[in-house]
Amino acid sequence: MARADESARLGAPGGADSGALPVKPEVLQVGSLPDDAAALLRDGFHVHAIAAAEAVLTLAPAVRERIRGVAARSMVGASGSLIDALPKLEIVSIFGVGLDAVDLDAARRRGIRVANTPDVLTEDNAEFAIALLLALARRVVEGDRFVRAGRWTSGSLPNSTRVRGRRLGIVGMGRIGSALARRAVALGLEVHWHGPRPKPEIGYPYHADLAQLARTVDFLVLTCPGGPATAGMVDARILAELGPEGFLVNVARGTVVDETALIAALEGKRIAGAALDVYADEPRVPQALLGFDNVILEPHIASATVETRRDIGLAMVANLRTHFDAATPGVRP
Ligand code: 8YV
C-alpha cells in the first residue's frame, strides 16, 4: 500500500488573513516526480505526497479538504476517484503532455482546470522518433549486439534498409507529428499522414483512412494522443497493410497498438520490425517482445533529455502558479 502524506511542510495551513506571511496553497503530488521538479513544487506550495492515487483516502479528511491542486506525471494522471476524494480541487497540473490518464469528464463536471506542458517536449520527442526510425531501419541496435556478442569475426550483419527516398506515415499531425515531419523531409523521406480530420494548413498528403496510409508507406510512426479514441487503432489489419517490408515506430501511447496483434505480426514476419518507446502496461513489457532481433525496446524516454525534463518541471509548476496567482488576488505562492 502506498504511504500516505509524506508531507513537505513548508507553510502552515490555515487562515490567510492573520496578517502573517501568505499561506502557500496546498497541493497533492501523486507518484514520483524528478527531484528538481519536486523541489520546485515544494518551493512554491505546501506539498502532500502519496505514492499512488489509491492512497488518497489514507490522507486525513481535513487534509483532503485543503488540497487545491494535484501534480503528477502524465502516465499517472488523475483518476475520477482521486478527483472525487478532493472536494476543494481546482487544478490538475500534469508533468508532460498526455492527458489520457486524467478523467477529463470528472474534471469538467467539477470545473477543475487541467493543465499540461506541451511545446517544451515537442522537439525532443520528434528527435527521438527519428532516432528510433533510423536505428530500426539501419539495424543500429542489432549491429551493436552483433559486435558485443563477438559474432563479427565469423559473419556479417544482414544489410539494412535505406531511409532516404522512402515514405513515412505519421499518425497524429499535432505538434510532435509536425516537428517529426520537418526532420523527416530533411532526411529525404516523403511524408504522408493520418488524423481524425484533415488540416488545410498541412501540406503533406492526408489519408482519412489509416489502413490506406499503412498501405502507402514504409514507416508508420505514431505520435497521436492515447485514450479511448485511439485505443487498439493499430491492429492486425493495419499491420497487414503496413506489410512485410514496413516498420512501426511508437512514441505515442502503448494503448494505440494492439500488442497481441503486433507480436503475432512479428512472429509471422508480416511486418519488418518495430521500435517502441511506450507500452500498454508500463513498466511491464510483454515478454514475447524481448525475443525479436528486429524490435527496439525503450523505457518511455522520448522526452527524457536533461533540458526537456527540466523545462517540463518548470512548466508544470508555472501552470500551478499562474492558476493560484489568478485565483488568490494579492497572494503570491
Ligand atoms: C513524458 C509523455 O516524458 O508527456 C507525455 O505525455 O508521455 C512523456 O513524454 C512523461 O509524461 C514524463 O513522465
Side-chain angles (χ1 to χ4, degrees), residues 73-74 95-98 121 125 253 300 303 309:
R73 286 180 187 260
S74 60
F95 181 96
V97 69
L121 51 71
N125 264 63
R253 282 291 182 264
H300 199 151
S303 73
R309 285 289 165 93

Side-chain angles (χ1 to χ4, degrees), residues 119-134:
D119 300 322
V120 293
L121 51 71
T122 300
E123 301 297 329
D124 282 1
N125 264 63
E127 185 175 280
F128 197 69
I130 289 287
L132 288 182
L133 190 153
L134 287 171

